[in-house]
Amino acid sequence: MSTGAIIGIVVAVVVVVALVAVALRAQARSKHLRERFGGEYERAVHASSKREAERELLQRERRHAELDIQPLSAAERESYTARWSLVQAKFVDQPGAAVEEADQLVSAVMAKRGYPVDGDQDQRVADLSVRHSSTVEHYRLARSVRGKHTGDGDASTEELREAIVRYRALFDELLADGADESRVDGQADGRAHHAPRRDTATRPATQ
């Protein structure tokens, strides 16, 4: 076999190996993004193309990595939980005001954790989706109901109740996330990750 033929075979093998490596990297990237973003991945792909969606999600990861996200202390979690109880109690007589306060409280917790809250809605959702992919859609829908209520006041009591439940889903995650990493007087805080039971705490009384 001539030298030229051997070189041609080697080049062909190198090209094939390179293509396989690229394909494997793409598969690994897609798998990673699906696992990390869950339904948010499918939502992004549906809104554009797989390539554009994955590029956007990777950008979200890079931005999130630059944020200084910190867990809450035990005292802060207790304080926010007490404030949520007041919001939930208000729902009985003032459901619209309760939804507005729930939104403000979630924003306050986000800011305390280190999430930027002075940007637009889409950026907030993008930042949250990296670490809270299972509840970010709840937040998006809750904000939609809030906008409907403050815009024309046409949100029903049931929609407002669902918004409270959706806000609570993210609220619980924000309180619990990273709590086992916090320290109190140099010791691990054993109460850190015990968020209120969702079966008793997320459904506001409507009677």
Side-chain angles (χ1 to χ4, degrees):
M1 183 180 294
S2 68
T3 301
I6 294 175
I7 293 175
I9 293 173
V10 170
V11 170
V13 170
V14 169
V15 170
V16 170
V17 170
L19 290 174
V20 170
V22 169
L24 290 176
R25 282 198 299 270
Q27 289 178 357
R29 180 178 64 245
S30 296
K31 182 175 183 292
H32 161 73
L33 292 173
R34 283 196 186 94
E35 291 176 349
R36 179 151 205 178
F37 288 94
E40 191 70 8
Y41 175 91
E42 302 302 332
R43 189 179 192 278
V45 170
H46 181 73
S48 56
S49 67
K50 181 178 178 181
R51 176 177 295 182
E52 292 176 354
E54 291 189 349
R55 184 183 301 114
E56 178 195 345
L57 296 177
L58 288 170
Q59 289 174 349
R60 293 188 195 183
E61 282 191 322
R62 286 193 288 270
R63 173 182 164 86
H64 188 278
E66 296 176 354
L67 301 177
D68 184 20
I69 306 300
Q70 297 293 328
L72 299 174
S73 68
E76 288 168 338
R77 288 191 299 279
E78 289 174 3
S79 175
Y80 283 125
T81 299
R83 288 172 62 182
W84 181 268
S85 295
L86 296 176
V87 170
Q88 195 162 283
K90 176 172 282 192
F91 183 88
V92 177
D93 297 317
Q94 299 175 275
V99 167
E100 182 64 28
E101 290 188 16
D103 182 79
Q104 294 172 1
L105 183 53
V106 168
S107 294
V109 176
M110 287 176 59
K112 190 66 177 179
R113 292 291 312 276
Y115 287 98
V117 295
D118 54 354
D120 60 24
Q121 165 69 6
D122 290 341
Q123 188 59 64
R124 286 195 192 191
V125 169
D127 290 338
L128 285 168
S129 68
V130 178
R131 195 157 177 163
H132 300 284
S133 60
S134 64
T135 53
V136 71
E137 182 65 12
H138 287 299
Y139 181 62
R140 183 185 281 117
L141 293 173
R143 293 273 294 183
S144 176
V145 172
R146 171 186 171 272
K148 181 179 180 181
H149 175 71
T150 58
D152 55 22
D154 197 35
S156 68
T157 300
E158 177 60 19
E159 287 177 312
L160 294 172
R161 187 193 68 79
E162 288 294 334
I164 286 286
V165 173
R166 293 184 186 281
Y167 275 123
R168 183 60 189 262
L170 176 59
F171 177 82
D172 280 352
E173 272 203 2
L174 287 170
L175 260 62
D177 176 49
D180 56 345
E181 301 168 6
S182 63
R183 295 291 185 270
V184 178
D185 294 330
Q187 300 296 322
D189 177 13
R191 296 172 301 168
H193 58 282
H194 296 297
R197 284 177 57 84
R198 202 165 286 175
D199 57 350
T200 60
T202 59
R203 299 185 67 85
T206 55
Q207 300 297 326

